[in-house]
Amino acid sequence: MIIHGDVAFMIISTVLVLIMTPGLAFFYGGLVERKNSLTMMFQSFIAIGVVTVLWVFGGFSLVFGDDIGGVIGHPLQYFAFHDFIDLINAKYSSTIPFLLFFMYQLMFAIITAPLMTGAFANRITPGGWIRVLIIWMIIIYFPVAHWVWGGGFLSRLGFVDYAGGAVIHITAGFGCVSGVFFLGDRYKKKSVTPFNIGFVALGGALLLFGWFGFNSGGSMTAAGITAIVFANTGIAAASAMITWLILHFIYHKHLSFLESIIGMVAGLATITPCAGYVTPLSAFIIGIIASIVCYYAVIFARKHWDDPLDVWGVHGVGGFLGTLLVGVFADPDINGVSASVNQFLIQAFGAILIAIYAIVLTYVCFFIAHKIKDLKVSAEIQKSGLDDAFFGEAFSDYINRTLGDD
C-alpha cells in the first residue's frame, strides 16, 4: 500500500542525492586550475545524462532484475520501463512506487563514476571520459550493485552496505587508481592549489547537505530508523572534521579551511556503509577513526602516485574502512545486524573482492576506451588548459560577461 508520507520523504531524499552531483562538480572544479575548471565540472555533469540513458535502457534491470547466478540481474526485465510504471515491488519497498525506487537508485548510479575523476584530473579528454564512463558503469557498477543490493551472491552471504560505502566508494575510490596509472602523472605534478576556494566550499556544502538524503533514504521509509541514520551522518561528519583539523594542526602548525572540508568528506564516506546499523555514539567514534586512517592514507598516496584530489585516500579508504566497521560496531537493536567476528570476516571478504574487481576492471575500461580512440591529454594541452582546447570556453569568459566586459 502506498504511504504518502514515505513517497514525500523519498522524493526529498532523491533530490538531495541528485544535488550531490553538481556539488561534486563545484568541489572538484574549484580544486583544479582555472584553465581546467569547466572540464572538471563537465565530467560530473555529463554523468547525469549518460548514466540516466544507461539506467533506462538496461542498467536498472542489470542491478535489480531477477537474479542470474548471483552475478547479475535479468537485463530485459525492466528495460525501457517495461511493465513497472504502476508496480509496487515489495522486495525493495512496499510503501512507495517502484518508479520512485528507480529514480532514487538512479541518483546513486549517477554520482559514482564521477568520484573517480578527481584522481586523474587534467589527464583525460572529455570524449575519453564519456567512453570510460559507459564501459565502467556496465562492467563494474551494475554488477557490483547487484551483488550487494539486487539479491546477488554477496547479499546472500550476509554482506551489508547501507548506503554505498562498498558499491559506490570502494568501486570508485579503488578503481580510480587504475586510471591514475593508465594515464600517468600530470606533466607538472604538484600539490593541490585550488583556484576557487569558494567553489570548494559550495561543493562541500552541497555534498554535506545531500549526504543526509544519500544515507537516510536507504531506509525507504519515514520511520524511526531514519532518524538514527540522519543523526549518524551528521555526527560522523562533525567528529571527522575536528579530528582531521587536529591532525593537520599537529603537522602544519596552522588550521586550514580546505582540510576541514576534506576531513568532513572522509567521515561521510566512512559512515555511509554502516549508517543504518550503528548507534550515534558509535558514529562519533567512527568519524574519529575515519579521519585518522584516511589522513595517513592521503599522505601515503601523495608520495606514491598522482591523485591530486585525494580520491583514493578519502573515498576509497573511507568506504573500505566503513564497510569493515559494520562488523565492529553494528548494534542488532538498530537494524538487526550484529557486530561479530563472522560479520567482520564477511564484510572484509566483500570489501576486498570489490576493491580488487574495481582495480582490475577499471584498467580494462581505460584500455578499451583508449583502443577506440586516444583518451590521454597531451602535455601541451595540459599546459595551455583543457577548457579552451576541448570546449573553446573558459571560466574567465563567464566572469567577464557577468561583469559586462567585452
Side-chain angles (χ1 to χ4, degrees), residues 277-279 282 325-334 337-340 343:
Y277 305 113
V278 303
T279 66
S282 293
L325 292 179
V326 172
V328 178
F329 290 104
D331 187 327
D333 292 335
I334 302 297
V337 177
S338 300
S340 65
Q343 187 65 49

Side-chain angles (χ1 to χ4, degrees), residues 35 38-39 126 385-395 397-398 401:
K35 63 186 179 182
L38 297 183
T39 302
L386 279 69
D387 293 354
D388 183 61
F390 294 112
F391 295 104
E393 299 169 327
F395 180 82
D397 291 343
Y398 300 104
R401 291 173 194 171

